[in-house]
Amino acid sequence: MGTDGARALLERAGTLTLQTGNLLNWGCLRKKCPATPGEEVRDCIQKTLTEWSSKVGQDLNQEILEVLECTVAQAIEKINPEERDELKVSAKLFIVGSNSSSIRDAVDLACSALGVAQLDSVIIAPPPVEDGTSFSLEYLQPYWQELENLVQNNKIVAIGTSDLDKTLLEQLYLWAQVKGGKCCCSGSTADGKPQWVKPSSNQVNLASCCVMPPDLTAFAKQFDIQLLTHNDPKELLCEASFQEVLQESIQDTKAHEWIPLWLLRCMDFKHSRTDFYRNP
């Protein structure tokens, strides 16, 4: 019966923030091994929606919330302040929509949910380009500028990129350097804020290469950029996929009205993971 209440809340809300919490706290996910990162995301979103909707009250006259938070208490786990200095909290942010301003919302939500003041590193995965459009520096710039602002406001320590070849990584590095000042490395102004923020890392998809490209390796070594690997698809969660999961979890809801904006995956050195998801 909880589904009726959840459906009513969804119909009245303008924004849905879905927070899966620590995936290791989901017993059903611990017992199975999703074939792909995309399946893992779908599974945890569906489990969260199902559990949340089953606990929603049946009072259809309950308070109307513009921003609806979908969470399950047993999966939420904040970082112990006493252990914070010993942990490195990193995140990968997948932008699903085209609005770069949603980056701040994602980082603020992550910090609040984890109980930390800042994230140690954030890697950006911009939305896939449309057919016939090439991935370029101009496409990446607005997302990078939002990340730079968050570094300068002490919400993020270091920022990185995903799936950039040597040419594009070099273009981003030089553009950020010229835009931020004449210094040749990441420096600080008199007020302690960085003059410019260079990429600290770049992820390379395992499916695209068995060995790191030599030119990318040489450039990264020269400018102290860490090269990492990943196996995430270009589109971790598309609009149709999320709407399908929403419809399966809360039947008869107007799933087609919900469009995903971003998905953020956090990890600390203990290898526990949290996914955050938001819709307009």
Side-chain angles (χ1 to χ4, degrees):
M1 293 296 292
T3 302
D4 293 334
R7 187 186 309 113
L9 288 175
L10 282 171
E11 290 177 353
R12 302 171 186 178
T15 299
L16 171 65
T17 298
L18 191 152
Q19 188 180 143
T20 68
N22 189 336
L23 301 193
L24 297 182
N25 289 339
W26 290 110
C28 60
L29 293 180
R30 191 184 301 121
K31 296 176 183 178
K32 63 182 293 189
C33 183
T36 66
E39 289 184 11
E40 180 183 65
V41 168
R42 282 178 56 96
D43 286 348
C44 69
I45 289 177
Q46 185 169 38
K47 181 64 176 177
T48 301
L49 284 168
T50 301
E51 289 286 326
W52 170 76
S53 63
S54 69
K55 294 177 171 59
V56 172
Q58 298 304 303
D59 181 8
L60 300 184
N61 294 318
Q62 57 191 307
E63 181 183 1
I64 298 176
L65 300 174
E66 173 63 24
V67 179
L68 183 60
E69 296 185 1
C70 174
T71 60
V72 179
Q74 70 265 27
I76 304 303
E77 183 178 306
K78 291 185 181 292
I79 291 177
N80 186 337
E82 297 180 356
E83 299 177 354
R84 178 62 182 97
D85 291 341
E86 303 174 3
L87 298 176
K88 180 177 181 180
V89 183
S90 62
K92 184 171 183 178
L93 176 57
F94 302 85
I95 304 297
V96 184
S98 59
N99 188 356
S100 60
S101 63
S102 61
I103 292 175
R104 179 176 294 276
D105 294 336
V107 172
D108 285 343
L109 176 61
C111 289
S112 175
L114 295 172
V116 298
Q118 64 179 188
L119 302 179
D120 294 299
S121 69
V122 173
I123 290 175
I124 184 74
V129 296
E130 299 179 357
D131 293 339
T133 304
S134 60
F135 191 74
S136 64
L137 174 63
E138 290 74 19
Y139 185 77
L140 183 60
Q141 283 172 343
Y143 302 100
W144 192 257
Q145 287 177 314
E146 284 294 324
L147 288 174
E148 284 184 324
N149 290 335
L150 290 169
V151 172
Q152 292 165 357
N153 290 325
N154 298 317
K155 297 295 291 187
I156 305 174
V157 177
I159 52 180
T161 57
S162 181
D163 298 321
L164 301 192
D165 59 18
K166 184 264 182 182
T167 299
L168 190 51
L169 182 60
E170 182 177 20
Q171 289 176 352
L172 175 64
Y173 184 96
L174 295 176
W175 169 76
Q177 177 181 336
V178 171
K179 179 176 63 67
K182 295 182 179 180
C183 58
C184 61
C185 60
S186 182
S188 297
T189 59
D191 59 4
K193 294 183 178 181
Q195 281 186 294
W196 67 285
V197 186
K198 77 177 184 68
S200 65
S201 61
N202 180 48
Q203 285 191 336
V204 179
N205 196 313
L206 290 170
S208 64
C209 66
C210 297
V211 179
M212 289 286 184
D215 59 344
L216 178 62
T217 302
F219 179 81
K221 181 178 181 180
Q222 180 181 359
F223 293 99
D224 192 26
I225 300 173
Q226 185 179 19
L227 293 181
L228 308 169
T229 59
H230 74 96
N231 65 338
D232 297 314
K234 289 185 178 179
E235 195 169 27
L236 187 61
L237 183 70
C238 66
E239 180 179 323
S241 181
F242 175 75
Q243 291 173 351
E244 181 181 350
V245 173
L246 181 58
Q247 186 64 56
E248 292 174 354
S249 305
I250 306 176
Q251 296 182 356
D252 298 325
T253 192
K254 297 178 181 178
H256 66 279
E257 295 182 354
W258 291 93
I259 301 173
L261 291 180
W262 53 263
L263 184 147
L264 186 142
R265 184 174 62 207
C266 288
M267 297 184 68
D268 61 33
F269 85 105
K270 293 180 181 179
H271 305 294
S272 59
R273 179 183 293 178
T274 300
D275 281 296
F276 301 95
Y277 188 78
R278 182 174 178 181
N279 290 278

